[in-house]
Amino acid sequence: MLMLALLLIPLIGAVVVAVGGERESKHVALGWTLLACVAAVASVFAFNWSDAATAQFEMRAPFLPHYGINLWIAADSVSLLLVLLTALLGPLCVLGSYSSVHHRQRLYYASLLALQSFVTGVFLAQDVILFYVFFELTLAPMFVLIREWGGANRKKASVKFFLYTFTGSILTLAGVIYVAWARTGLIETAAVNAGWTFSLEFLTDTARFMSSSEQTVVLLALLAGFAVKVPLFPVHTWLPLAHTEAPTAGSVVLAGVLLKLGTYALYKIAIPLAPAAFVAFAPYVAAVSIIGILYAGLICWTQRDVKKLVAYSSVSHLGFCILGLVAMNAVGVGGSILYMINHGLSTGALFLCIGMIYERYHTRDMDELGGLASKMPVWAFFMVFFSLASVGLPGLNGFVSEFMCMLGAFQAGAAWGPGGTGGVLGPWFAAFAATGMVVGAMYILYMVGKVVFGPLTEPRGHHPHETLPTDLNLREITVLTPLAVACLVLGVYPTPVIRSLEAPIIEQLAHVERYFPEAEAVETSELERPEPAGASIVAAEGGLR
Amino acid sequence: MKEKLLLLHPEIALFAGACLLMVLGLSKSATLRSLCAPVTGLVILIAGLLAIPEVAERLGLLTAEQRSTAPLLLPYAKAMVAGVALLLLPLMTGVVDRALESRAVRGQPFDPGRSLRGEFYAFLLFSLTGVMLCASADDLIWLFLALELTSLPTYIMVALSTERLRSMEAGVKYFFLGAFGAATFLMGFALLYGAAGTTSLTGLSQMMTLGIIETGATEAARGVQVYELSPMFIAGMTLAVLGIAFKIAAVPMHFYAADVYQGAAAPVSAYLAFAPKAAGFFALVSLLSAVTWYAPIDGGATTLPESLRVLLWVMAALTMTIGNVLALQQRSAKRILAYSSIAHSGYMLVALMAGPGRSPASDGLGAVLFYLLVYGVSNAGAFAVIGALEKRNARGEMVEAENLDDLRGLCRSHPLLGWSLVISALGLLGLPPLFGFWGKLPLFSSGLAAGEIALVVILAINSAAAAFYYLRLAAAPLLDRLDDHQPRPVESTLSGRRVTAVLSAIAAIGLVAFTAPLQVTTHRAAEDAYQRVTLGERARDVIFRPAPEVASDERAGEPVATAAER
């Protein structure tokens, strides 16, 4: 019930806002997103954290029985954390848009609410077609947001965003249907649940019977859609355009949540549906993500537009995320999922900060802005804080996840096993990724040094905003504070979150395990180890319990 | 004969209604003349209801035994066609005779000799009769007559649809090219008769199933039934398929579509985009069932005979691609919809190639029947919005606002029309969870189940490419703004157009709830149709090869001996 509420509350709110009054729409939208937030917090308490791997709050209704398509939603801890992130960002986005959106407000807030609902649906879906339906539905409100309230180049940005992602996802649909059809051939007619089905658990069970070459085709089809969404180099070119041209809240949702759809999809769907191919392709995907880290990082270093810099940094950061994912060990995948949450928080906050500057100065050009700390100390504090979180300063959330991802890649050297090392990557991958950390520090600190510190530079002809004060007002501080607190808490005490992720990740990796029977020999040796490697990280981090 | 008449009650009702309308339109009383549209709607409703066997049985037209043995394709096909026609009917009101009626209202005497209203609706009903007859055809001559009955009235409807020269030009173009198409498939049917010795579809199928050939020892030992496909048969089938390709606007007979759809008024274009396509696909389903999808000896998915398979493969791929590519450049919304109509035919051809399947998910023929409904509903909405807008052109005449630029900002100036266009465009695109997506899903699954992986990939890429222009159609009303110097389009005074637009948008969302029963129904209908033609003997373990030369009994000029003569 709670999950259905989380799904429907923003949607009903969207309808209410769309038919309501123009002036009250922002307050009504805020109310509905806060309600969704309350439901999300309630679900945290209602969730059984000791059994985190089981999908809880399950609700299922048949839709197309002959296809085996059900309306099936449920949440395990991974899904729940991402849903929490979405629910948290919702009211912050609404509140952050109060002063920047003035025309067609009803459509704006209705789109934001609908987008929140659809993204929640993606994280909760247990049926692959339902996943696809929500995945595609997110394109529509995002398109509207970019097209109507975006920057100068918004037409091209919105069209490129929609078409690029839509093309990839249709190929993914073909791949998914292929797996479902192959299942009808692999399962005997008399077996239970024979015939067509799109439930993730049944498709997973049969995917491991598919031959390696079939799985390769399936994985390529799945990657076509998910790699565009992540985005992986070289299909990332829609992202800088979309991010830069989107309105502030649009960028926050895009960076904070929509990009996670791709990484979450790789974790939830690509790994179980094509395990052998995933393992075989892992080094190549890792290589591509490392290229993305370094390439996007270097592009960031040359940027003059602050928003575009942060947009490219998203590409760079998600390279780390994917690197941890394809390491296929508990540390790496745990780090990857934690990265999704952390990146959503810190990059979302960075976009909010940049938006506040843009509202006051109407420019994002680093040549025209400089040394703003002297005029806006509170803003400067938040900007530096979130920049350091993004870079990966120990003590803030970015460090934990970045370190775990690289440790996972490092340890993915020889043997196999959920509790131990992977078998696909190795120290060289981690070494190259580490240079990406250096590049990351370079561009972020350069940007911070130029825009926040240094001599005060303001654009020529600048006059103060009519309604906004020079420094942040209470509303803007309220928007940024929860994100800052979350970054700090996740940086200092991430243990509960990491612990809760262990069980579902181990279960997900077990899908891959079962495809490699020789791995069981290694697994038995793992049982003699005192603790899994993930716990040792926790001990080192939390350290002080 | 009597059994055939029992299945024709809907067509008889439509025909009687058409005759009534021709008289009604000539009446001196304006009230009676205004009844033309409601009477048409009533007649279509009656025909749709009569198509349902339970209703016919309740009315005493069928006995219980006849009802249980009636073909399953007919209720779905006729009811579906009647339903979409009812959706299109409010759109069709007021297409002809507007000037005449306004003169009559101002007091001038009504001249029946110049009135076209009754005839227009009568032609609509005649054409619908033809579509329904196509569904119930089991004979080549019947099929030919039904296809012609579908199209001939539409030629006239196109020419009559506006008072400008453009629609007469479109009508003439359509007529000549249509006659060419009809000649093509008539030649094909003649060759099929020559090859098979019978015009009945069951006979065609039987002729192939009973092919007995002396073959090599190994084949005979395996008990293999060998089909012969004489070159005449292949030629006949190819010409028949190409001729029917004109009806469905498939490559290479697609050239007429853009000009005719643009020249005719939007309501008539909407009808053209649906009815001949439905008739063509009903015909193709029956005709290709006679040829049979077979399962090869050495395993693999069911497939058509090689020559036909190549023909349909190329047709499907080219139709999808050409339809989408040519739509990208268009500035006129009607031309976009015309080329998209070509592309949708291409999508359906993929499923047609996939053939029958055991379950609704792998049944290509059922997917085609279902997609006709999906496409008809969304297509009606898109054309309805275009038909509802008028603007003054350079010569001062009120014409349809068919340019993409005229559609800008529609959601704010005319919200009902604007949002209907957005929903119709997204439905045609196949954005989930609208009805259009659930129509696309069986196309994908049946194509993959039949092993046509390359074609499904082409289908996927084309569906994505279609997003280019459907996005324009959806974004223009919602997110763009009219330039200030542009003449503002106004809504037509005919409220029927708005009714169709809104109903279509509601259907595109509401019918999603009925997807499951509809897909099961279409699967059963297609399966039944296929089995009736092939007499349930689905070919298994079959190889195809050209008929051997028969030396002794052949006289000069006679066709190669066929099985029917043995």
Side-chain angles (χ1 to χ4, degrees):
Chain A
M1 237 359 248
L2 263 177
M3 292 298 118
L4 191 62
L6 268 178
L7 199 57
L8 287 180
I9 288 177
L11 202 55
I12 300 176
V15 174
V16 169
V17 166
V19 301
E22 178 88 355
R23 302 255 296 276
E24 305 81 40
S25 53
K26 52 172 93 155
H27 304 295
V28 173
L30 183 63
W32 283 94
T33 46
L34 282 175
L35 192 58
C37 218
V38 165
V41 170
S43 65
V44 168
F45 290 106
F47 193 77
N48 182 3
W49 292 98
S50 53
D51 189 17
T54 327
Q56 303 175 26
F57 305 124
E58 195 177 310
M59 294 197 69
R60 178 166 23 174
F63 179 57
L64 290 183
H66 49 270
Y67 264 111
I69 298 179
N70 302 311
L71 304 175
W72 189 355
I73 55 172
D76 64 1
S77 59
V78 173
S79 312
L80 191 65
L81 285 172
L82 288 165
V83 168
L84 274 175
L85 175 69
T86 316
L88 175 65
L89 284 179
L92 298 181
C93 283
V94 172
L95 205 51
S97 313
Y98 264 38
S99 53
S100 55
V101 170
H102 302 293
H103 72 277
R104 293 188 88 173
Q105 292 180 36
R106 288 184 299 177
L107 185 63
Y108 181 86
Y109 291 107
S111 304
L112 269 183
L113 282 166
L115 190 55
Q116 183 177 339
S117 169
F118 299 148
V119 170
T120 312
V122 174
F123 292 134
L124 292 177
Q126 302 295 322
D127 177 289
V128 185
I129 292 287
L130 189 65
F131 180 95
Y132 178 80
V133 168
F134 282 120
F135 199 78
E136 292 292 280
L137 265 178
T138 61
L139 296 181
M142 199 67 229
F143 177 82
V144 171
L145 282 172
I146 299 179
R147 180 84 168 225
E148 183 70 16
W149 297 275
N153 207 5
R154 57 187 187 272
K155 271 203 174 159
K156 182 175 170 196
S158 56
V159 170
K160 193 168 185 178
F161 159 75
F162 191 99
L163 291 172
Y164 228 123
T165 329
F166 190 74
T167 309
S169 340
I170 288 230
L171 289 168
T172 306
L173 177 69
V176 162
I177 299 180
Y178 181 87
V179 175
W181 167 65
R183 182 181 188 277
T184 58
L186 291 169
I187 299 284
E188 298 136 25
T189 335
V192 71
N193 286 308
W196 287 80
T197 177
F198 281 95
S199 305
L200 197 52
E201 53 176 281
F202 294 130
L203 287 184
T204 314
D205 280 339
T206 49
R208 55 202 168 99
F209 293 122
M210 288 170 63
S211 73
S212 194
S213 56
E214 261 186 324
Q215 285 194 19
T216 310
V217 171
V218 170
L219 184 64
L220 285 176
L222 292 177
L223 271 180
F226 300 149
V228 174
K229 199 78 179 178
V230 167
L232 280 177
F233 174 89
V235 288
H236 66 286
T237 48
W238 62 271
L239 181 85
L241 204 56
H243 260 135
T244 321
E245 302 301 329
T248 308
S251 297
V252 173
V253 175
L254 188 51
V257 184
L258 277 187
L259 298 184
K260 311 308 176 299
L261 296 184
T263 52
Y264 175 75
L266 278 173
Y267 160 77
K268 184 92 178 177
I269 297 188
I271 292 185
L273 243 55
F278 202 91
V279 169
F281 271 76
Y284 303 107
V285 176
V288 160
S289 44
I290 291 176
I291 295 177
I293 296 174
L294 296 172
Y295 173 76
L298 291 173
I299 294 185
C300 283
W301 200 21
T302 68
Q303 284 303 321
R304 299 258 72 80
D305 180 343
V306 186
K307 204 167 178 185
K308 208 159 197 177
L309 188 150
V310 178
Y312 272 109
S313 82
S314 279
V315 181
S316 190
H317 287 314
L318 287 170
F320 277 104
C321 187
I322 297 298
L323 185 66
L325 189 66
V326 298
M328 310 277 271
N329 49 19
V331 177
V333 180
S336 175
I337 299 194
L338 195 59
Y339 210 119
M340 294 184 212
I341 302 169
N342 292 338
H343 177 261
L345 293 171
S346 55
T347 308
L350 273 177
F351 276 115
L352 281 168
C353 288
I354 296 171
M356 291 165 193
I357 286 294
Y358 187 72
E359 278 180 57
R360 288 164 172 78
Y361 291 103
H362 301 292
T363 178
R364 297 186 297 256
D365 194 338
M366 270 163 52
D367 291 329
E368 295 187 13
L369 295 170
L372 295 174
S374 48
K375 275 193 89 167
M376 309 169 62
V378 180
W379 173 84
F381 165 72
F382 281 113
M383 188 72 181
V384 172
F385 184 89
F386 290 120
S387 300
L388 292 174
S390 182
V391 164
L393 186 76
L396 295 178
N397 57 0
F399 171 71
V400 181
S401 43
E402 218 161 67
F403 186 68
M404 281 175 75
C405 284
M406 285 206 297
L407 185 65
F410 192 92
Q411 286 185 340
W416 190 263
T421 54
V424 291
L425 303 181
W428 279 109
F429 288 89
F432 277 107
T435 56
M437 281 185 83
V438 176
V439 177
M442 273 165 31
Y443 62 75
I444 283 279
L445 293 178
Y446 175 71
M447 186 260 288
V448 167
K450 178 80 183 47
V451 176
V452 180
F453 299 115
L456 177 64
T457 320
E458 285 180 328
R460 213 173 318 172
H462 163 71
H463 50 272
H465 199 273
E466 308 95 55
T467 44
L468 292 173
T470 319
D471 206 349
L472 303 185
N473 63 15
L474 188 60
R475 173 185 60 85
E476 291 168 325
I477 297 179
T478 320
V479 170
L480 290 176
T481 312
L483 294 171
V485 168
C487 284
L488 190 61
V489 166
L490 280 176
V492 173
Y493 191 55
T495 317
V497 176
I498 299 180
R499 270 269 147 77
S500 68
L501 292 175
E502 266 173 20
I505 288 174
I506 291 179
E507 205 177 283
Q508 192 80 333
L509 288 177
H511 289 311
V512 186
E513 294 275 293
R514 275 178 277 176
Y515 204 89
F516 296 96
E518 63 270 14
E520 288 166 26
V522 180
E523 206 179 321
T524 47
S525 73
E526 296 298 325
L527 288 172
E528 286 137 41
R529 287 172 52 147
E531 312 165 285
S536 68
I537 297 301
V538 171
E541 276 299 285
L544 332 151
R545 300 174 288 124
Chain B
M1 176 60 180
K2 187 138 181 294
E3 303 83 46
K4 283 194 181 163
L5 271 181
L6 285 174
L7 302 173
L8 291 182
H9 294 117
E11 287 90 333
I12 296 174
L14 285 176
F15 200 87
C19 297
L20 172 63
L21 279 169
M22 285 200 281
V23 173
L24 206 58
L26 298 171
S27 160
K28 287 233 187 244
S29 147
T31 331
L32 275 182
R33 286 200 306 273
S34 67
L35 281 182
C36 274
V39 167
T40 312
L42 189 61
V43 169
I44 298 178
L45 184 64
I46 292 176
L49 287 174
L50 282 177
I52 304 172
E54 282 79 13
V55 171
E57 187 195 355
R58 191 72 62 87
L59 290 172
L61 296 165
L62 285 179
T63 66
E65 195 215 324
Q66 287 159 346
R67 176 182 63 80
S68 58
T69 55
L72 285 176
L73 173 63
L74 302 187
Y76 170 74
K78 299 187 187 185
M80 185 262 288
V81 169
V84 178
L86 273 177
L87 183 62
L88 286 171
L89 188 62
L91 182 54
M92 304 271 219
T93 54
V95 172
V96 292
D97 271 7
R98 277 213 279 185
L100 203 64
E101 288 299 325
S102 61
R103 281 203 289 271
V105 162
R106 282 198 296 264
Q108 286 178 358
F110 172 71
D111 180 9
R114 309 185 66 171
S115 144
L116 299 166
R117 201 186 210 175
E119 282 86 343
F120 185 80
Y121 290 111
F123 288 142
L124 174 66
L125 289 183
F126 282 136
S127 181
L128 278 174
T129 315
V131 178
M132 291 195 185
L133 280 175
C134 271
S136 36
D138 61 354
D139 184 279
L140 287 178
I141 299 185
W142 184 325
L143 198 54
F144 168 71
L145 289 174
L147 286 170
E148 283 297 272
L149 187 58
T150 310
S151 297
L152 283 168
T154 56
Y155 305 151
I156 308 174
M157 282 166 71
V158 166
L160 291 182
S161 59
T162 73
E163 306 205 338
R164 300 165 64 205
L165 207 57
R166 221 166 60 154
S167 45
M168 277 190 256
E169 176 202 341
V172 170
K173 234 183 243 181
Y174 191 27
F175 170 62
F176 280 125
L177 290 172
F180 173 59
T184 312
F185 68 69
L186 185 58
M187 183 69 192
F189 288 172
L191 287 174
L192 283 175
Y193 172 66
T198 169
T199 55
S200 118
L201 289 175
T202 323
L204 270 177
S205 165
Q206 261 183 313
M207 177 220 83
M208 297 173 63
T209 325
L210 296 179
I212 308 159
I213 312 250
E214 294 307 312
T215 66
T218 36
E219 286 167 329
R222 285 157 77 187
V224 167
Q225 275 189 327
V226 182
Y227 280 12
E228 342 178 80
L229 277 193
S230 58
M232 189 187 291
F233 189 93
I234 298 179
M237 211 61 205
T238 309
L239 283 176
V241 168
L242 283 177
I244 299 179
F246 175 84
K247 296 270 180 285
I248 62 177
V251 169
M253 312 285 262
H254 66 286
F255 294 100
Y256 74 95
D259 289 337
V260 172
Y261 284 35
Q262 190 181 26
V268 177
S269 304
Y271 183 74
L272 284 185
F274 170 69
K277 210 188 284 290
F281 274 107
F282 291 150
L284 278 175
V285 165
S286 308
L287 207 54
L288 290 174
S289 300
V291 180
T292 292
W293 281 262
Y294 72 99
I297 297 173
D298 44 356
T302 51
T303 181
L304 288 164
E306 189 60 27
S307 43
L308 279 174
R309 189 185 160 271
V310 168
L311 172 69
L312 279 178
W313 199 103
V314 171
M315 266 176 73
L318 281 179
T319 308
M320 289 192 277
T321 315
I322 289 183
N324 279 318
V325 166
L326 288 179
L328 293 177
Q329 300 283 353
Q330 303 300 330
R331 302 301 318 163
S332 157
K334 268 164 107 178
R335 284 183 88 91
I336 289 182
L337 287 175
Y339 282 116
S340 88
S341 166
I342 297 175
H344 283 285
S345 290
Y347 305 154
M348 285 193 264
L349 280 174
V350 173
L352 192 68
M353 273 193 72
R358 265 178 298 147
S359 76
S362 55
D363 186 0
L365 300 182
V368 168
L369 294 176
F370 183 63
Y371 200 81
L372 280 171
L373 172 65
V374 170
Y375 172 70
V377 163
S378 284
N379 181 61
F383 273 109
V385 174
I386 298 174
L389 293 174
E390 295 178 337
K391 69 173 183 193
R392 216 162 271 286
N393 72 355
R395 265 179 275 171
E397 306 165 316
M398 286 300 272
V399 294
E400 275 176 358
E402 63 173 72
N403 232 318
L404 265 183
D405 298 330
D406 298 325
L407 296 173
R408 287 197 237 151
L410 208 56
C411 283
R412 289 210 275 183
S413 50
H414 305 95
L416 278 177
L417 289 178
W419 282 103
S420 302
L421 183 60
V422 171
I423 293 175
S424 297
L426 292 177
L428 286 170
L429 167 63
L431 192 74
L434 296 174
F435 203 31
F437 172 70
W438 304 107
K440 279 251 165 76
L441 190 62
L443 298 182
F444 276 96
S445 61
S446 60
L448 282 172
E452 300 285 349
I453 307 219
L455 210 52
V456 168
V457 171
I458 296 179
L459 172 64
I461 296 176
N462 272 298
S463 301
F468 273 90
Y469 54 86
Y470 281 129
L471 260 193
R472 278 187 218 148
L473 270 180
L478 184 58
L479 300 169
D480 289 341
R481 260 172 230 98
L482 279 176
D483 294 334
D484 289 323
H485 63 267
Q486 231 178 321
R488 220 154 256 280
V490 293
E491 193 174 337
S492 160
T493 45
L494 300 159
S495 58
R497 323 257 159 133
R498 204 179 346 152
V499 168
T500 299
V502 171
L503 278 179
S504 157
I506 295 176
I509 301 176
L511 281 176
V512 175
F514 297 99
T515 312
L518 278 172
Q519 282 188 348
V520 170
T521 311
T522 50
H523 166 64
R524 289 208 194 116
E527 198 174 34
D528 183 79
Y530 179 71
Q531 295 204 326
R532 266 168 205 269
V533 175
T534 61
L535 297 177
E537 288 182 43
R538 230 172 276 207
R540 292 257 159 208
D541 292 341
V542 160
I543 58 175
F544 282 90
R545 62 181 175 81
E549 302 278 323
V550 176
S552 47
D553 292 344
E554 194 177 358
R555 285 188 297 248
E558 286 234 345
V560 172
T562 61
E565 292 176 30
R566 293 206 188 153

